[in-house]
Amino acid sequence: MKDRRPGFDSELAGPVAQALLDTLPARTAVVDPAGVVLAVNHLWREVEPPFDDGDLDVGVGDNMIELFRAARGPSSAIASLFAGALEDVLAGRSSRWEASGDNRVEWWGRWHDAHIVGLRVPPGGAVISHTEVADDIRAGLELDHWSRYDRLTGLPNRSTLMEHLDAALDDNDHLALILLDLDAFAVLNEAHGHAAGDALLRAVAERVRVGVGPYGRVTRFIGDTFVVIVEDAGAVDVEALVQDLQGLVSRPIRLADQEVLLTATAAVTVAGDDHETAADLLRDASAALQRAKEAGRGQVVSAVPHAKLEEAERELRRALGKAEFRLVYQAELSLESGRVLGAEALLRWDHPTRGRLSPQHFIADAEVTGLIIPIGTWAIRQACRQAADWPMVIDSDPLFVAVNLSARQLSDPGLPEIVADALADAKLPADRLCLEITESAVFERFDVAVTTLSRLRATGVLIALDDFGTGYSSLSYLRRLPVDILKIDRSFIARLVDDVRDRAIVEAVVSIARTFGLRVVAEGVESGEQLALLRRLGCDVAQGYDIGRPGEPGEVIELARSMARHPSGRARGPMRFVRGR
């Protein structure tokens, strides 16, 4: 009777096994429990591999896991995924892994079905095979893939993010979300061209992906905003991760023959009881990002729970209804004549339990809730009414009043009408109102800002660019901005006397202003030594505690009268703000 036990004659085993491998219709390899390739079929040897990185062209005797883990070429991401799946199969954590359907992978622009199947016979090991997708279904697969992934960066897109977030919220209680938004990217995009902008986004996407590593999942949310999902925030120092990512983004990126510097503003949200869906989490993260943008470029802000934001909104609405907001004024002094020219209106909130609050305690909430529009409108109207009542000061032009605009106000198409109505109601000449806007607010939506500022300037009001020097002080953009005044940021004035670099910056700003026909105001002047040096450097106007602290309208008038009687500068006749262009 014939022996029907399974097995091969030892002399036939090798050739028969190889012959069986060669009958398979896909590139196939067999690996041992350590991942070393034992055998490959003829297609593996003869057909061009789907990855041409060189170090991924694996053959008999090579350790596939080690080579794939060490890959650094364009296929490194998929190689790492493949290596991890192979390790799971060899360790018995799974018996089969397939990259097909939703898991189908792309190597070098070609779509592939990949399979790893665990062998059930001693001593273990695995069979790896993959095939290219037929041409007649390639288009459909690509369409499906790019509906879930971003074409420019290759990262998962917004729809995939929402799916991942909803699933993650269901599965764990330690989820954190990081929003990383590039500062004033639109300006850089326009300055260097859209092709360069695309290159910048690809470079940033790769840096963020590498920086996040195994700690999270990166997606391109929209435009120049990236989202990182950290599914085990309890095991990760999220704050340190954000700082690392901001550091990676801020490293110079070379485009053609020049280096480009980027910064990123970040918002962090940790999942809580009021985050039932991905939309809830993104709502709070987006609100936090807006607060961060208001705080300035490169900031990091943690999300405020939605319930607290709703409470803040109720308080702000109550403050508007009960007239709890106030304006105080800080004088601006001509360094040529030694006279007070006008004053900047500064918003305060007389809170019933917390006392008088400065804007840093409530403006961010007003921005996020949208209440900055009615609050800002009130400030403009109130400043115009009070300035209209200011009496003429001895032998001087009428004092002007300056009012700050927020980024959200600048984006409001109705702002020019609001300003025109306020001037008309107060019977205040337009050239006695100056509207101040920060560099960061202008450059977030540059084209919108230029349009709105142009309409405002056409009414006759003056426009000042605040915090100049801290943002994107590009001459090409300054030339396009309809502004009359540059206000040098106080950070440069603070070190003006002792730091030659800051002194050089102030001198350069004065020179730029002269070239463009603009007035220069130095903010944060706190000593007579700073005042004297600014006068020597040719600065036009100074503002700060050395001249006068913020006070009630009557205090500003008294200061103006005092300075008119005893001017501290070399009096050459009255000077007022006039259009330089």
Side-chain angles (χ1 to χ4, degrees):
M1 184 175 181
K2 293 182 179 180
D3 185 356
R4 298 185 180 275
R5 291 175 298 174
F8 286 112
D9 181 286
S10 61
E11 295 182 3
L12 295 177
V16 171
Q18 185 65 55
L20 289 172
L21 275 179
D22 287 339
T23 64
L24 297 177
R27 298 181 79 249
T28 306
V30 180
V31 301
D32 71 8
V36 175
V37 179
L38 301 176
V40 296
N41 70 351
H42 76 98
L43 289 177
W44 188 279
R45 295 189 300 270
E46 298 168 7
V47 176
E48 177 187 358
F51 25 74
D52 286 341
D53 292 13
D55 54 349
L56 299 187
D57 192 3
V58 183
V60 174
D62 292 330
N63 188 304
M64 188 175 291
I65 294 175
E66 291 179 359
L67 287 175
F68 277 27
R69 285 291 187 200
R72 291 294 181 267
S75 299
S76 59
I78 199 63
S80 177
L81 173 69
F82 198 83
L86 180 55
E87 286 178 327
D88 286 345
V89 169
L90 292 173
R93 290 188 288 270
S94 65
S95 61
R96 182 182 185 88
W97 180 85
E98 293 187 18
S100 58
D102 288 344
N103 293 322
R104 185 170 279 110
V105 293
E106 183 190 15
W107 279 308
W108 286 88
R110 290 152 55 186
W111 290 88
H112 301 266
D113 277 328
H115 306 268
I116 302 174
V117 182
L119 296 179
R120 294 304 186 187
V121 294
V127 174
I128 297 97
S129 69
H130 62 78
T131 58
E132 287 200 31
V133 175
D135 290 339
D136 59 349
I137 62 171
R138 186 187 308 274
L141 292 173
E142 290 184 352
L143 184 62
D144 176 68
H145 177 82
W146 294 123
S147 69
R148 300 167 53 82
Y149 290 83
D150 175 53
R151 286 182 176 273
L152 181 63
T153 64
L155 295 175
N157 61 17
R158 179 173 179 147
S159 64
T160 306
L161 165 70
M162 301 302 282
E163 293 177 11
H164 289 166
L165 266 182
D166 278 327
L169 282 170
D170 288 339
D171 293 340
N172 74 79
D173 299 322
H174 302 286
L175 184 87
L177 198 68
I178 302 168
L179 262 62
L180 205 64
D181 186 85
L182 302 184
D183 296 319
F185 179 77
V187 176
L188 294 170
N189 198 37
E190 184 172 337
H192 298 283
H194 292 287
D198 289 348
L200 286 173
L201 287 174
R202 283 192 293 267
V204 170
E206 179 60 16
R207 288 182 180 186
V208 174
R209 186 188 67 78
V210 172
V212 170
Y215 303 113
R217 187 187 306 235
V218 185
T219 65
R220 184 184 178 196
F221 183 50
I222 187 170
D224 57 356
T225 303
F226 298 88
V227 174
V228 179
I229 304 173
V230 181
E231 295 193 16
D232 190 5
V236 178
D237 187 338
V238 177
E239 183 178 343
L241 178 59
V242 172
Q243 292 175 351
D244 288 345
L245 294 177
Q246 287 181 309
L248 287 171
V249 170
S250 65
R251 291 179 183 174
I253 299 174
R254 177 157 288 280
L255 292 178
D257 58 346
Q258 61 183 317
E259 287 188 338
V260 177
L261 297 177
L262 290 168
T263 58
T265 297
V268 180
T269 307
V270 178
D273 293 338
D274 55 347
H275 299 132
E276 296 182 359
T277 66
D280 294 335
L281 200 61
L282 280 169
R283 173 201 63 206
D284 288 357
S286 298
L289 185 62
Q290 191 167 333
R291 291 164 63 91
K293 286 288 187 181
E294 180 66 20
R297 59 186 293 197
Q299 298 295 309
V300 181
V301 170
S302 295
V304 176
H306 190 59
K308 289 187 177 180
L309 200 58
E310 289 180 330
E311 174 61 24
E313 181 176 358
R314 284 193 294 271
E315 284 211 19
L316 288 169
R317 289 189 184 279
R318 189 209 67 234
L320 267 174
K322 292 184 175 293
E324 293 175 0
F325 291 112
R326 299 284 184 272
L327 291 180
V328 295
Y329 296 88
Q330 187 172 35
E332 297 189 13
L333 179 77
S334 165
L335 295 181
E336 182 182 34
S337 68
R339 298 174 183 270
V340 171
L341 302 175
E344 179 182 354
L346 303 170
L347 186 63
R348 298 292 186 266
W349 180 4
D350 286 341
H351 195 281
T353 59
R354 298 166 63 192
R356 178 161 286 191
L357 302 178
S358 60
Q360 67 195 54
H361 295 289
F362 61 86
I363 283 295
D365 288 339
E367 283 276 353
V368 172
T369 59
L371 289 175
I372 191 64
I373 300 297
I375 293 173
T377 299
W378 173 87
I380 293 170
R381 297 182 68 85
Q382 180 73 354
C384 288
R385 282 195 295 266
Q386 291 184 330
D389 292 335
W390 292 349
M392 290 286 290
V393 181
I394 304 169
D395 190 27
S396 178
D397 292 319
L399 302 179
F400 75 89
V401 65
V403 181
N404 292 282
L405 297 177
S406 73
R408 191 139 181 181
Q409 284 176 280
L410 196 61
S411 299
D412 179 12
L415 180 62
E417 285 73 27
I418 290 172
V419 171
D421 289 345
L423 290 169
D425 290 346
K427 297 181 173 56
L428 183 74
D431 62 357
R432 289 184 59 196
L433 175 62
C434 177
L435 298 174
E436 298 188 3
I437 187 73
T438 63
E439 275 194 273
S440 57
V442 168
F443 289 112
E444 278 304 312
R445 299 185 64 190
F446 185 78
D447 291 335
V448 172
V450 169
T451 300
T452 303
L453 292 177
S454 297
R455 290 176 60 200
L456 287 168
R457 200 162 179 258
T459 67
V461 302
L462 300 164
I463 305 295
L465 189 59
D466 203 2
D467 298 342
F468 188 75
T470 60
Y472 308 90
S473 311
S474 165
L475 295 183
S476 62
Y477 285 96
L478 187 58
R479 179 175 55 82
R480 292 179 55 193
L481 279 174
V483 299
D484 305 286
I485 303 159
L486 296 183
K487 299 191 75 171
I488 305 175
D489 186 70
R490 65 184 62 249
S491 63
F492 299 112
I493 307 304
R495 301 183 296 268
L496 178 66
V497 175
D498 302 318
D499 193 319
V500 295
R501 292 170 297 183
D502 282 356
R503 195 179 312 163
I505 289 172
V506 172
E507 194 168 9
V509 172
V510 171
S511 177
I512 291 169
R514 292 288 175 266
T515 301
F516 286 96
L518 307 176
R519 298 290 185 184
V520 182
V521 178
E523 297 183 285
V525 179
E526 297 186 356
S527 73
E529 196 174 3
Q530 291 172 340
L531 199 65
L533 184 51
L534 285 167
R535 185 177 288 115
R536 289 201 300 272
L537 292 174
C539 186
D540 297 310
V541 180
Q543 177 183 2
Y545 283 1
D546 187 64
I547 296 156
R549 291 175 177 268
E552 299 300 322
E555 296 175 81
V556 174
I557 297 301
E558 184 54 38
L559 177 63
R561 285 173 171 160
S562 174
M563 298 301 288
R565 289 191 294 266
H566 307 288
S568 59
R570 294 172 295 172
R572 297 179 179 176
M575 183 188 81
R576 65 182 298 201
F577 285 114
V578 295
R579 296 195 185 285
R581 299 182 275 169

